[in-house]
Amino acid sequence: MKNPALIEKLARHLATDAPDDWPARVQDAASILALMKEPDEAMRAVGDAAIWEAMIDAALRERWTVAQPNATDSDSGGSDEEGEIRLTCEAVGHDRADWVHIHHEREN
């Protein structure tokens, strides 16, 4: 049985009122994950914050591999992690994680 990516699971949950439209909720799911990236004090007390942040980065990168809604000329490429800066499709490079702030020393 397929184990869907976390971002897909979140998007499907957010689309419970219209289950077939879950791809349109992927950006919302990415925003939620971005908010979760920095662990709070209770989380830090029981685990490694660097591992958590790397796991959230990996989940955010999955945004580019799950089904996306049909693109139109008015579609943007999404937004930055905080949802503050809108990105056009042209602003997003071929590296599917270039919009995520990654600490490369943690990725290796």
Side-chain angles (χ1 to χ4, degrees), residues 10 18-19 22 30-31 47 49 51-52 55 58 61-62 71 80 85 92:
L10 282 171
W22 72 266
S31 295
I51 290 173
W52 175 260
M55 291 170 70
R61 283 191 301 275
E62 289 298 310
D80 67 327
I85 301 171
V92 179

Side-chain angles (χ1 to χ4, degrees), residues 57 60-61 64 92-102:
D57 282 340
L60 285 168
R61 283 191 301 275
W64 302 107
V92 179
H94 295 295
D95 178 359
R96 26 179 226 170
D98 62 359
W99 69 282
V100 180
H101 301 286
I102 295 180

Side-chain angles (χ1 to χ4, degrees), residues 19 40 55 63 69-71:
D40 62 22
M55 291 170 70
R63 175 185 186 270
N70 292 333

